[in-house]
Amino acid sequence: MSAPTTPGSAVADLLGLVALGELLAFERMAADARLAPDLRRRAALGEMAAAEIASYRRLADRLTALGVRPEDAMAPYVEALQAYHDSTQPRDWAEAVTKAYVGDAITDDFLRAITTALDEPDRCLVLDVLHESRYAEFAAAEIRSAVDADPRVAHRLSMWARRLVGEALSQANRVAAADRGALTALIAQGERVDVQALFRQLTAAHTQRMLAAGLNN
Amino acid sequence: MSAPTTPGSAVADLLGLVALGELLAFERMAADARLAPDLRRRAALGEMAAAEIASYRRLADRLTALGVRPEDAMAPYVEALQAYHDSTQPRDWAEAVTKAYVGDAITDDFLRAITTALDEPDRCLVLDVLHESRYAEFAAAEIRSAVDADPRVAHRLSMWARRLVGEALSQANRVAAADRGALTALIAQGERVDVQALFRQLTAAHTQRMLAAGLNN
């Protein structure tokens, strides 16, 4: 990245997108915690949420160090990310943990895919904000236990997860369409990724994860 | 504290009360962040919230180490603390930051007052979960800037802060009344505190803080 880092530069765009994703994931998970059947689970989803905003802070600090106001870097993505969350409000605890599971995992796949296009220290930073596996394990265990308690739930959660991915990809397309060019150019610059291939890859990984949690894709 | 630490023991009760306070403060602040006028402030309240749940985790871990399930230690206080938050839902950003400011400060005053009654390591733990002053400074600055923008806001926020303290003390009385005896005994055991003196002291400190933020009590 020898281009100057200003709002609209590829790195600022990318960090802004990831930062906003973390900020909104934090808010929604924190809100969804109210759906928990008990205080232990309520706190557990709250802690997953807190991990998101810790990552937000690191990304925002990096943007500031680059001379970019975090809110300027995030602004172009507010509508699409907000639309994703507004259209995927969980109705119960099983849907809430499924959303956290699916959302974190797709975010991580996306982050891993784009690291090849980044220089240090941004590459390490993005790898560092990958979600801790204990959160995914907690969410997958909750999904399995919901399915164990009532096998019919598997079908409903499978449909729900499909909708989550559909909405995520639809909003991702909207981000790509609205992009000022730098971001998609950066992503396409990665060794193995063009945007369509990235989408296919994210979808395949999602299928694997659904199976791991006892759901069909 | 030579008495065994079980649910219902003074230390478990106290840590449970504080842990639940942190958990609910987290949830409400995270929810109130949606009232922020911009992404920067939205993230700032989110980060104040995340600090609460980090403290929750430390208290919950200590309870677990003492052989007490955190949810058991918290259970007696759910109704009173939930009632406090339900009866004090901020209607705008200025009310949200005022609530965070007042709530954190009263919590800290309470924590400082009870440390005299605690042995190590619980004493240090409770001192460690005191809120960082940068959060209070952020909230006080937001209150002052709301008042600067519209001086009439000072009166409304003063009334609001008075209501917050009133509701907090009312629910605290309810906690004390419902207490199984161990908690109030522990508090009264502190060097300088009986429960009524503690309330007076909290109220006096609150008045000082209101003045510091440009509000009347």
PDB file of all heavy atoms in Angstrom, chain A residues 23-24 26-27 30 39-40 42-43 46-47 50 53 56-57 71 78 82, chain B residues 23-24 26-27 30 39-40 42-43 46-47 50 53 56-57 71 74 78 82:
ATOM      1  N   LEU A  23     -18.701  -2.855  15.597  1.00  0.00           N
ATOM      2  CA  LEU A  23     -19.517  -1.977  16.434  1.00  0.00           C
ATOM      3  C   LEU A  23     -20.994  -2.408  16.405  1.00  0.00           C
ATOM      4  O   LEU A  23     -21.638  -2.517  17.454  1.00  0.00           O
ATOM      5  CB  LEU A  23     -19.367  -0.527  15.950  1.00  0.00           C
ATOM      6  CG  LEU A  23     -20.186   0.541  16.679  1.00  0.00           C
ATOM      7  CD1 LEU A  23     -19.905   0.544  18.173  1.00  0.00           C
ATOM      8  CD2 LEU A  23     -19.891   1.934  16.089  1.00  0.00           C
ATOM      9  N   LEU A  24     -21.494  -2.695  15.214  1.00  0.00           N
ATOM     10  CA  LEU A  24     -22.904  -3.093  15.127  1.00  0.00           C
ATOM     11  C   LEU A  24     -23.134  -4.499  15.673  1.00  0.00           C
ATOM     12  O   LEU A  24     -24.154  -4.765  16.304  1.00  0.00           O
ATOM     13  CB  LEU A  24     -23.411  -2.983  13.679  1.00  0.00           C
ATOM     14  CG  LEU A  24     -23.427  -1.565  13.100  1.00  0.00           C
ATOM     15  CD1 LEU A  24     -24.195  -1.526  11.775  1.00  0.00           C
ATOM     16  CD2 LEU A  24     -24.023  -0.549  14.064  1.00  0.00           C
ATOM     17  N   PHE A  26     -21.520  -5.781  18.107  1.00  0.00           N
ATOM     18  CA  PHE A  26     -21.546  -5.550  19.555  1.00  0.00           C
ATOM     19  C   PHE A  26     -22.944  -5.158  20.008  1.00  0.00           C
ATOM     20  O   PHE A  26     -23.515  -5.759  20.920  1.00  0.00           O
ATOM     21  CB  PHE A  26     -20.554  -4.442  19.934  1.00  0.00           C
ATOM     22  CG  PHE A  26     -20.851  -3.811  21.268  1.00  0.00           C
ATOM     23  CD1 PHE A  26     -20.525  -4.465  22.442  1.00  0.00           C
ATOM     24  CD2 PHE A  26     -21.498  -2.589  21.352  1.00  0.00           C
ATOM     25  CE1 PHE A  26     -20.827  -3.912  23.678  1.00  0.00           C
ATOM     26  CE2 PHE A  26     -21.802  -2.017  22.579  1.00  0.00           C
ATOM     27  CZ  PHE A  26     -21.476  -2.685  23.748  1.00  0.00           C
ATOM     28  N   GLU A  27     -23.494  -4.129  19.369  1.00  0.00           N
ATOM     29  CA  GLU A  27     -24.797  -3.623  19.811  1.00  0.00           C
ATOM     30  C   GLU A  27     -25.882  -4.667  19.702  1.00  0.00           C
ATOM     31  O   GLU A  27     -26.715  -4.809  20.600  1.00  0.00           O
ATOM     32  CB  GLU A  27     -25.194  -2.413  18.962  1.00  0.00           C
ATOM     33  CG  GLU A  27     -24.399  -1.189  19.306  1.00  0.00           C
ATOM     34  CD  GLU A  27     -24.850   0.027  18.501  1.00  0.00           C
ATOM     35  OE1 GLU A  27     -25.897  -0.041  17.806  1.00  0.00           O
ATOM     36  OE2 GLU A  27     -24.144   1.046  18.562  1.00  0.00           O
ATOM     37  N   ALA A  30     -25.406  -7.551  22.232  1.00  0.00           N
ATOM     38  CA  ALA A  30     -25.733  -7.073  23.581  1.00  0.00           C
ATOM     39  C   ALA A  30     -27.249  -7.001  23.748  1.00  0.00           C
ATOM     40  O   ALA A  30     -27.793  -7.369  24.793  1.00  0.00           O
ATOM     41  CB  ALA A  30     -25.091  -5.716  23.832  1.00  0.00           C
ATOM     42  N   LEU A  39     -29.269 -16.208  33.490  1.00  0.00           N
ATOM     43  CA  LEU A  39     -28.233 -15.176  33.652  1.00  0.00           C
ATOM     44  C   LEU A  39     -26.879 -15.617  33.113  1.00  0.00           C
ATOM     45  O   LEU A  39     -26.123 -14.816  32.585  1.00  0.00           O
ATOM     46  CB  LEU A  39     -28.099 -14.797  35.133  1.00  0.00           C
ATOM     47  CG  LEU A  39     -29.238 -13.977  35.739  1.00  0.00           C
ATOM     48  CD1 LEU A  39     -29.052 -13.855  37.248  1.00  0.00           C
ATOM     49  CD2 LEU A  39     -29.323 -12.593  35.098  1.00  0.00           C
ATOM     50  N   ARG A  40     -26.576 -16.905  33.226  1.00  0.00           N
ATOM     51  CA  ARG A  40     -25.276 -17.386  32.762  1.00  0.00           C
ATOM     52  C   ARG A  40     -25.151 -17.186  31.244  1.00  0.00           C
ATOM     53  O   ARG A  40     -24.155 -16.660  30.748  1.00  0.00           O
ATOM     54  CB  ARG A  40     -25.103 -18.870  33.101  1.00  0.00           C
ATOM     55  CG  ARG A  40     -23.736 -19.432  32.724  1.00  0.00           C
ATOM     56  CD  ARG A  40     -23.647 -20.927  33.000  1.00  0.00           C
ATOM     57  NE  ARG A  40     -24.521 -21.727  32.145  1.00  0.00           N
ATOM     58  CZ  ARG A  40     -24.235 -22.067  30.886  1.00  0.00           C
ATOM     59  NH1 ARG A  40     -23.098 -21.688  30.330  1.00  0.00           N
ATOM     60  NH2 ARG A  40     -25.078 -22.793  30.175  1.00  0.00           N
ATOM     61  N   ARG A  42     -27.018 -15.255  29.419  1.00  0.00           N
ATOM     62  CA  ARG A  42     -27.152 -13.829  29.129  1.00  0.00           C
ATOM     63  C   ARG A  42     -25.785 -13.146  29.212  1.00  0.00           C
ATOM     64  O   ARG A  42     -25.407 -12.358  28.345  1.00  0.00           O
ATOM     65  CB  ARG A  42     -28.105 -13.256  30.174  1.00  0.00           C
ATOM     66  CG  ARG A  42     -28.626 -11.905  29.905  1.00  0.00           C
ATOM     67  CD  ARG A  42     -29.877 -11.740  30.756  1.00  0.00           C
ATOM     68  NE  ARG A  42     -30.060 -10.381  31.187  1.00  0.00           N
ATOM     69  CZ  ARG A  42     -31.100  -9.968  31.923  1.00  0.00           C
ATOM     70  NH1 ARG A  42     -32.019 -10.851  32.304  1.00  0.00           N
ATOM     71  NH2 ARG A  42     -31.228  -8.726  32.254  1.00  0.00           N
ATOM     72  N   ALA A  43     -25.039 -13.493  30.257  1.00  0.00           N
ATOM     73  CA  ALA A  43     -23.696 -12.926  30.408  1.00  0.00           C
ATOM     74  C   ALA A  43     -22.766 -13.416  29.305  1.00  0.00           C
ATOM     75  O   ALA A  43     -21.924 -12.664  28.805  1.00  0.00           O
ATOM     76  CB  ALA A  43     -23.123 -13.289  31.777  1.00  0.00           C
ATOM     77  N   GLY A  46     -23.289 -11.475  26.266  1.00  0.00           N
ATOM     78  CA  GLY A  46     -22.754 -10.146  26.552  1.00  0.00           C
ATOM     79  C   GLY A  46     -21.236 -10.108  26.399  1.00  0.00           C
ATOM     80  O   GLY A  46     -20.676  -9.151  25.869  1.00  0.00           O
ATOM     81  N   GLU A  47     -20.580 -11.164  26.840  1.00  0.00           N
ATOM     82  CA  GLU A  47     -19.122 -11.211  26.703  1.00  0.00           C
ATOM     83  C   GLU A  47     -18.679 -11.381  25.250  1.00  0.00           C
ATOM     84  O   GLU A  47     -17.670 -10.824  24.827  1.00  0.00           O
ATOM     85  CB  GLU A  47     -18.558 -12.334  27.561  1.00  0.00           C
ATOM     86  CG  GLU A  47     -18.679 -11.994  29.038  1.00  0.00           C
ATOM     87  CD  GLU A  47     -18.092 -13.082  29.902  1.00  0.00           C
ATOM     88  OE1 GLU A  47     -16.866 -13.163  30.008  1.00  0.00           O
ATOM     89  OE2 GLU A  47     -18.879 -13.877  30.457  1.00  0.00           O
ATOM     90  N   ALA A  50     -18.870  -7.948  23.980  1.00  0.00           N
ATOM     91  CA  ALA A  50     -17.780  -7.091  24.454  1.00  0.00           C
ATOM     92  C   ALA A  50     -16.494  -7.338  23.656  1.00  0.00           C
ATOM     93  O   ALA A  50     -15.715  -6.414  23.405  1.00  0.00           O
ATOM     94  CB  ALA A  50     -17.542  -7.303  25.944  1.00  0.00           C
ATOM     95  N   ILE A  53     -16.505  -5.142  20.604  1.00  0.00           N
ATOM     96  CA  ILE A  53     -16.179  -3.723  20.715  1.00  0.00           C
ATOM     97  C   ILE A  53     -14.711  -3.516  21.089  1.00  0.00           C
ATOM     98  O   ILE A  53     -14.131  -2.468  20.770  1.00  0.00           O
ATOM     99  CB  ILE A  53     -17.145  -2.965  21.645  1.00  0.00           C
ATOM    100  CG1 ILE A  53     -17.124  -1.479  21.243  1.00  0.00           C
ATOM    101  CG2 ILE A  53     -16.785  -3.128  23.118  1.00  0.00           C
ATOM    102  CD1 ILE A  53     -18.351  -0.726  21.513  1.00  0.00           C
ATOM    103  N   TYR A  56     -13.321  -3.399  17.783  1.00  0.00           N
ATOM    104  CA  TYR A  56     -13.651  -2.088  17.209  1.00  0.00           C
ATOM    105  C   TYR A  56     -12.623  -1.057  17.644  1.00  0.00           C
ATOM    106  O   TYR A  56     -12.124  -0.270  16.844  1.00  0.00           O
ATOM    107  CB  TYR A  56     -15.048  -1.636  17.646  1.00  0.00           C
ATOM    108  CG  TYR A  56     -15.227  -0.146  17.440  1.00  0.00           C
ATOM    109  CD1 TYR A  56     -15.573   0.355  16.195  1.00  0.00           C
ATOM    110  CD2 TYR A  56     -14.944   0.755  18.476  1.00  0.00           C
ATOM    111  CE1 TYR A  56     -15.654   1.724  15.982  1.00  0.00           C
ATOM    112  CE2 TYR A  56     -15.020   2.123  18.270  1.00  0.00           C
ATOM    113  CZ  TYR A  56     -15.379   2.600  17.030  1.00  0.00           C
ATOM    114  OH  TYR A  56     -15.434   3.943  16.818  1.00  0.00           O
ATOM    115  N   ARG A  57     -12.312  -1.013  18.931  1.00  0.00           N
ATOM    116  CA  ARG A  57     -11.386  -0.015  19.461  1.00  0.00           C
ATOM    117  C   ARG A  57     -10.023  -0.104  18.782  1.00  0.00           C
ATOM    118  O   ARG A  57      -9.405   0.900  18.434  1.00  0.00           O
ATOM    119  CB  ARG A  57     -11.276  -0.185  20.988  1.00  0.00           C
ATOM    120  CG  ARG A  57     -10.211   0.595  21.706  1.00  0.00           C
ATOM    121  CD  ARG A  57     -10.102   2.071  21.332  1.00  0.00           C
ATOM    122  NE  ARG A  57     -11.363   2.792  21.359  1.00  0.00           N
ATOM    123  CZ  ARG A  57     -11.619   3.911  20.665  1.00  0.00           C
ATOM    124  NH1 ARG A  57     -10.701   4.433  19.861  1.00  0.00           N
ATOM    125  NH2 ARG A  57     -12.791   4.498  20.743  1.00  0.00           N
ATOM    126  N   GLU A  71     -15.184   7.544  12.205  1.00  0.00           N
ATOM    127  CA  GLU A  71     -16.564   7.704  11.742  1.00  0.00           C
ATOM    128  C   GLU A  71     -16.627   8.001  10.245  1.00  0.00           C
ATOM    129  O   GLU A  71     -17.578   7.593   9.576  1.00  0.00           O
ATOM    130  CB  GLU A  71     -17.326   8.755  12.557  1.00  0.00           C
ATOM    131  CG  GLU A  71     -16.643  10.088  12.747  1.00  0.00           C
ATOM    132  CD  GLU A  71     -15.721  10.141  13.965  1.00  0.00           C
ATOM    133  OE1 GLU A  71     -14.974   9.164  14.186  1.00  0.00           O
ATOM    134  OE2 GLU A  71     -15.735  11.158  14.670  1.00  0.00           O
ATOM    135  N   VAL A  78     -22.737   2.269   6.796  1.00  0.00           N
ATOM    136  CA  VAL A  78     -23.749   2.242   7.854  1.00  0.00           C
ATOM    137  C   VAL A  78     -25.073   1.660   7.347  1.00  0.00           C
ATOM    138  O   VAL A  78     -25.660   0.775   7.966  1.00  0.00           O
ATOM    139  CB  VAL A  78     -23.980   3.650   8.451  1.00  0.00           C
ATOM    140  CG1 VAL A  78     -25.171   3.643   9.390  1.00  0.00           C
ATOM    141  CG2 VAL A  78     -22.725   4.120   9.194  1.00  0.00           C
ATOM    142  N   GLN A  82     -26.498  -1.790   8.804  1.00  0.00           N
ATOM    143  CA  GLN A  82     -27.702  -1.612   9.618  1.00  0.00           C
ATOM    144  C   GLN A  82     -28.868  -2.406   9.006  1.00  0.00           C
ATOM    145  O   GLN A  82     -29.636  -3.042   9.732  1.00  0.00           O
ATOM    146  CB  GLN A  82     -28.040  -0.115   9.647  1.00  0.00           C
ATOM    147  CG  GLN A  82     -29.018   0.284  10.712  1.00  0.00           C
ATOM    148  CD  GLN A  82     -28.337   0.607  12.037  1.00  0.00           C
ATOM    149  OE1 GLN A  82     -27.443   1.448  12.102  1.00  0.00           O
ATOM    150  NE2 GLN A  82     -28.756  -0.063  13.091  1.00  0.00           N
TER     151      GLN A  82
ATOM    152  N   LEU B  23     -23.549  -6.590  35.112  1.00  0.00           N
ATOM    153  CA  LEU B  23     -24.173  -7.254  33.954  1.00  0.00           C
ATOM    154  C   LEU B  23     -25.323  -6.411  33.404  1.00  0.00           C
ATOM    155  O   LEU B  23     -25.429  -6.182  32.195  1.00  0.00           O
ATOM    156  CB  LEU B  23     -24.659  -8.650  34.363  1.00  0.00           C
ATOM    157  CG  LEU B  23     -25.374  -9.488  33.303  1.00  0.00           C
ATOM    158  CD1 LEU B  23     -24.512  -9.672  32.059  1.00  0.00           C
ATOM    159  CD2 LEU B  23     -25.774 -10.855  33.863  1.00  0.00           C
ATOM    160  N   LEU B  24     -26.182  -5.922  34.291  1.00  0.00           N
ATOM    161  CA  LEU B  24     -27.326  -5.135  33.820  1.00  0.00           C
ATOM    162  C   LEU B  24     -26.886  -3.759  33.315  1.00  0.00           C
ATOM    163  O   LEU B  24     -27.442  -3.250  32.337  1.00  0.00           O
ATOM    164  CB  LEU B  24     -28.376  -5.000  34.921  1.00  0.00           C
ATOM    165  CG  LEU B  24     -29.044  -6.308  35.362  1.00  0.00           C
ATOM    166  CD1 LEU B  24     -30.262  -6.025  36.220  1.00  0.00           C
ATOM    167  CD2 LEU B  24     -29.426  -7.184  34.170  1.00  0.00           C
ATOM    168  N   PHE B  26     -24.126  -3.157  31.859  1.00  0.00           N
ATOM    169  CA  PHE B  26     -23.628  -3.458  30.511  1.00  0.00           C
ATOM    170  C   PHE B  26     -24.762  -3.451  29.499  1.00  0.00           C
ATOM    171  O   PHE B  26     -24.718  -2.785  28.476  1.00  0.00           O
ATOM    172  CB  PHE B  26     -22.925  -4.822  30.496  1.00  0.00           C
ATOM    173  CG  PHE B  26     -22.828  -5.424  29.121  1.00  0.00           C
ATOM    174  CD1 PHE B  26     -21.875  -4.954  28.222  1.00  0.00           C
ATOM    175  CD2 PHE B  26     -23.699  -6.422  28.712  1.00  0.00           C
ATOM    176  CE1 PHE B  26     -21.802  -5.473  26.936  1.00  0.00           C
ATOM    177  CE2 PHE B  26     -23.630  -6.954  27.431  1.00  0.00           C
ATOM    178  CZ  PHE B  26     -22.671  -6.481  26.542  1.00  0.00           C
ATOM    179  N   GLU B  27     -25.798  -4.230  29.792  1.00  0.00           N
ATOM    180  CA  GLU B  27     -26.889  -4.381  28.823  1.00  0.00           C
ATOM    181  C   GLU B  27     -27.571  -3.051  28.534  1.00  0.00           C
ATOM    182  O   GLU B  27     -27.891  -2.747  27.383  1.00  0.00           O
ATOM    183  CB  GLU B  27     -27.935  -5.359  29.353  1.00  0.00           C
ATOM    184  CG  GLU B  27     -27.461  -6.782  29.272  1.00  0.00           C
ATOM    185  CD  GLU B  27     -28.531  -7.761  29.758  1.00  0.00           C
ATOM    186  OE1 GLU B  27     -29.691  -7.331  29.975  1.00  0.00           O
ATOM    187  OE2 GLU B  27     -28.204  -8.946  29.913  1.00  0.00           O
ATOM    188  N   ALA B  30     -25.286  -0.596  26.623  1.00  0.00           N
ATOM    189  CA  ALA B  30     -25.149  -1.040  25.231  1.00  0.00           C
ATOM    190  C   ALA B  30     -26.410  -0.688  24.449  1.00  0.00           C
ATOM    191  O   ALA B  30     -26.352  -0.239  23.304  1.00  0.00           O
ATOM    192  CB  ALA B  30     -24.885  -2.544  25.173  1.00  0.00           C
ATOM    193  N   LEU B  39     -21.511   8.086  15.347  1.00  0.00           N
ATOM    194  CA  LEU B  39     -20.860   6.793  15.557  1.00  0.00           C
ATOM    195  C   LEU B  39     -19.780   6.849  16.632  1.00  0.00           C
ATOM    196  O   LEU B  39     -19.589   5.882  17.368  1.00  0.00           O
ATOM    197  CB  LEU B  39     -20.246   6.282  14.249  1.00  0.00           C
ATOM    198  CG  LEU B  39     -21.225   5.809  13.174  1.00  0.00           C
ATOM    199  CD1 LEU B  39     -20.474   5.540  11.873  1.00  0.00           C
ATOM    200  CD2 LEU B  39     -21.968   4.542  13.628  1.00  0.00           C
ATOM    201  N   ARG B  40     -19.090   7.992  16.724  1.00  0.00           N
ATOM    202  CA  ARG B  40     -18.021   8.088  17.712  1.00  0.00           C
ATOM    203  C   ARG B  40     -18.583   7.973  19.124  1.00  0.00           C
ATOM    204  O   ARG B  40     -18.088   7.206  19.946  1.00  0.00           O
ATOM    205  CB  ARG B  40     -17.288   9.426  17.564  1.00  0.00           C
ATOM    206  CG  ARG B  40     -16.113   9.596  18.516  1.00  0.00           C
ATOM    207  CD  ARG B  40     -15.464  10.977  18.400  1.00  0.00           C
ATOM    208  NE  ARG B  40     -16.332  12.053  18.869  1.00  0.00           N
ATOM    209  CZ  ARG B  40     -16.514  12.391  20.150  1.00  0.00           C
ATOM    210  NH1 ARG B  40     -15.901  11.705  21.115  1.00  0.00           N
ATOM    211  NH2 ARG B  40     -17.310  13.386  20.483  1.00  0.00           N
ATOM    212  N   ARG B  42     -21.509   6.783  19.914  1.00  0.00           N
ATOM    213  CA  ARG B  42     -22.145   5.475  20.026  1.00  0.00           C
ATOM    214  C   ARG B  42     -21.126   4.428  20.474  1.00  0.00           C
ATOM    215  O   ARG B  42     -21.391   3.614  21.363  1.00  0.00           O
ATOM    216  CB  ARG B  42     -22.708   5.141  18.639  1.00  0.00           C
ATOM    217  CG  ARG B  42     -23.649   4.006  18.579  1.00  0.00           C
ATOM    218  CD  ARG B  42     -24.436   4.157  17.288  1.00  0.00           C
ATOM    219  NE  ARG B  42     -24.826   2.882  16.730  1.00  0.00           N
ATOM    220  CZ  ARG B  42     -25.552   2.758  15.622  1.00  0.00           C
ATOM    221  NH1 ARG B  42     -25.945   3.830  14.952  1.00  0.00           N
ATOM    222  NH2 ARG B  42     -25.885   1.577  15.180  1.00  0.00           N
ATOM    223  N   ALA B  43     -19.959   4.469  19.843  1.00  0.00           N
ATOM    224  CA  ALA B  43     -18.900   3.530  20.224  1.00  0.00           C
ATOM    225  C   ALA B  43     -18.413   3.800  21.643  1.00  0.00           C
ATOM    226  O   ALA B  43     -18.117   2.862  22.392  1.00  0.00           O
ATOM    227  CB  ALA B  43     -17.742   3.624  19.235  1.00  0.00           C
ATOM    228  N   GLY B  46     -20.666   2.299  24.073  1.00  0.00           N
ATOM    229  CA  GLY B  46     -20.465   0.861  23.943  1.00  0.00           C
ATOM    230  C   GLY B  46     -19.237   0.397  24.709  1.00  0.00           C
ATOM    231  O   GLY B  46     -19.242  -0.657  25.357  1.00  0.00           O
ATOM    232  N   GLU B  47     -18.186   1.182  24.645  1.00  0.00           N
ATOM    233  CA  GLU B  47     -16.959   0.804  25.362  1.00  0.00           C
ATOM    234  C   GLU B  47     -17.125   0.927  26.876  1.00  0.00           C
ATOM    235  O   GLU B  47     -16.580   0.127  27.628  1.00  0.00           O
ATOM    236  CB  GLU B  47     -15.797   1.659  24.882  1.00  0.00           C
ATOM    237  CG  GLU B  47     -15.381   1.280  23.479  1.00  0.00           C
ATOM    238  CD  GLU B  47     -14.211   2.110  23.001  1.00  0.00           C
ATOM    239  OE1 GLU B  47     -13.080   1.833  23.416  1.00  0.00           O
ATOM    240  OE2 GLU B  47     -14.428   3.063  22.228  1.00  0.00           O
ATOM    241  N   ALA B  50     -18.795  -2.205  27.732  1.00  0.00           N
ATOM    242  CA  ALA B  50     -17.911  -3.372  27.699  1.00  0.00           C
ATOM    243  C   ALA B  50     -17.058  -3.454  28.961  1.00  0.00           C
ATOM    244  O   ALA B  50     -16.753  -4.553  29.446  1.00  0.00           O
ATOM    245  CB  ALA B  50     -17.033  -3.335  26.448  1.00  0.00           C
ATOM    246  N   ILE B  53     -18.952  -5.359  31.589  1.00  0.00           N
ATOM    247  CA  ILE B  53     -19.032  -6.817  31.532  1.00  0.00           C
ATOM    248  C   ILE B  53     -17.672  -7.466  31.795  1.00  0.00           C
ATOM    249  O   ILE B  53     -17.603  -8.617  32.260  1.00  0.00           O
ATOM    250  CB  ILE B  53     -19.700  -7.338  30.244  1.00  0.00           C
ATOM    251  CG1 ILE B  53     -20.280  -8.711  30.539  1.00  0.00           C
ATOM    252  CG2 ILE B  53     -18.750  -7.362  29.070  1.00  0.00           C
ATOM    253  CD1 ILE B  53     -21.437  -9.115  29.736  1.00  0.00           C
ATOM    254  N   TYR B  56     -17.858  -7.762  35.375  1.00  0.00           N
ATOM    255  CA  TYR B  56     -18.756  -8.880  35.673  1.00  0.00           C
ATOM    256  C   TYR B  56     -17.983 -10.199  35.645  1.00  0.00           C
ATOM    257  O   TYR B  56     -18.120 -11.042  36.533  1.00  0.00           O
ATOM    258  CB  TYR B  56     -19.924  -8.944  34.676  1.00  0.00           C
ATOM    259  CG  TYR B  56     -20.577 -10.302  34.697  1.00  0.00           C
ATOM    260  CD1 TYR B  56     -21.539 -10.611  35.657  1.00  0.00           C
ATOM    261  CD2 TYR B  56     -20.164 -11.301  33.823  1.00  0.00           C
ATOM    262  CE1 TYR B  56     -22.088 -11.885  35.727  1.00  0.00           C
ATOM    263  CE2 TYR B  56     -20.707 -12.571  33.885  1.00  0.00           C
ATOM    264  CZ  TYR B  56     -21.664 -12.858  34.839  1.00  0.00           C
ATOM    265  OH  TYR B  56     -22.190 -14.117  34.919  1.00  0.00           O
ATOM    266  N   ARG B  57     -17.189 -10.376  34.583  1.00  0.00           N
ATOM    267  CA  ARG B  57     -16.468 -11.653  34.416  1.00  0.00           C
ATOM    268  C   ARG B  57     -15.530 -11.914  35.595  1.00  0.00           C
ATOM    269  O   ARG B  57     -15.449 -13.022  36.113  1.00  0.00           O
ATOM    270  CB  ARG B  57     -15.712 -11.620  33.078  1.00  0.00           C
ATOM    271  CG  ARG B  57     -14.714 -12.750  32.805  1.00  0.00           C
ATOM    272  CD  ARG B  57     -15.217 -14.149  33.098  1.00  0.00           C
ATOM    273  NE  ARG B  57     -16.498 -14.460  32.506  1.00  0.00           N
ATOM    274  CZ  ARG B  57     -17.325 -15.406  32.978  1.00  0.00           C
ATOM    275  NH1 ARG B  57     -17.012 -16.121  34.056  1.00  0.00           N
ATOM    276  NH2 ARG B  57     -18.480 -15.640  32.405  1.00  0.00           N
ATOM    277  N   GLU B  71     -24.910 -17.312  38.988  1.00  0.00           N
ATOM    278  CA  GLU B  71     -26.350 -17.041  38.822  1.00  0.00           C
ATOM    279  C   GLU B  71     -27.105 -17.216  40.137  1.00  0.00           C
ATOM    280  O   GLU B  71     -28.078 -16.510  40.401  1.00  0.00           O
ATOM    281  CB  GLU B  71     -26.974 -17.870  37.697  1.00  0.00           C
ATOM    282  CG  GLU B  71     -26.700 -19.355  37.708  1.00  0.00           C
ATOM    283  CD  GLU B  71     -25.411 -19.742  36.977  1.00  0.00           C
ATOM    284  OE1 GLU B  71     -24.384 -19.052  37.161  1.00  0.00           O
ATOM    285  OE2 GLU B  71     -25.426 -20.763  36.272  1.00  0.00           O
ATOM    286  N   MET B  74     -26.475 -14.093  42.157  1.00  0.00           N
ATOM    287  CA  MET B  74     -27.116 -12.898  41.601  1.00  0.00           C
ATOM    288  C   MET B  74     -28.630 -12.928  41.740  1.00  0.00           C
ATOM    289  O   MET B  74     -29.281 -11.872  41.773  1.00  0.00           O
ATOM    290  CB  MET B  74     -26.744 -12.742  40.116  1.00  0.00           C
ATOM    291  CG  MET B  74     -25.261 -12.476  39.878  1.00  0.00           C
ATOM    292  SD  MET B  74     -24.904 -12.009  38.140  1.00  0.00           S
ATOM    293  CE  MET B  74     -25.062 -13.620  37.341  1.00  0.00           C
ATOM    294  N   VAL B  78     -32.148  -9.767  41.131  1.00  0.00           N
ATOM    295  CA  VAL B  78     -32.581  -9.515  39.753  1.00  0.00           C
ATOM    296  C   VAL B  78     -33.763  -8.559  39.712  1.00  0.00           C
ATOM    297  O   VAL B  78     -33.773  -7.583  38.947  1.00  0.00           O
ATOM    298  CB  VAL B  78     -32.935 -10.837  39.033  1.00  0.00           C
ATOM    299  CG1 VAL B  78     -33.587 -10.559  37.685  1.00  0.00           C
ATOM    300  CG2 VAL B  78     -31.692 -11.701  38.849  1.00  0.00           C
ATOM    301  N   GLN B  82     -33.397  -4.924  38.029  1.00  0.00           N
ATOM    302  CA  GLN B  82     -34.154  -4.811  36.773  1.00  0.00           C
ATOM    303  C   GLN B  82     -35.189  -3.683  36.899  1.00  0.00           C
ATOM    304  O   GLN B  82     -35.378  -2.906  35.959  1.00  0.00           O
ATOM    305  CB  GLN B  82     -34.867  -6.149  36.519  1.00  0.00           C
ATOM    306  CG  GLN B  82     -35.389  -6.318  35.115  1.00  0.00           C
ATOM    307  CD  GLN B  82     -34.347  -6.914  34.180  1.00  0.00           C
ATOM    308  OE1 GLN B  82     -33.782  -7.976  34.449  1.00  0.00           O
ATOM    309  NE2 GLN B  82     -34.064  -6.228  33.098  1.00  0.00           N
TER     310      GLN B  82
END
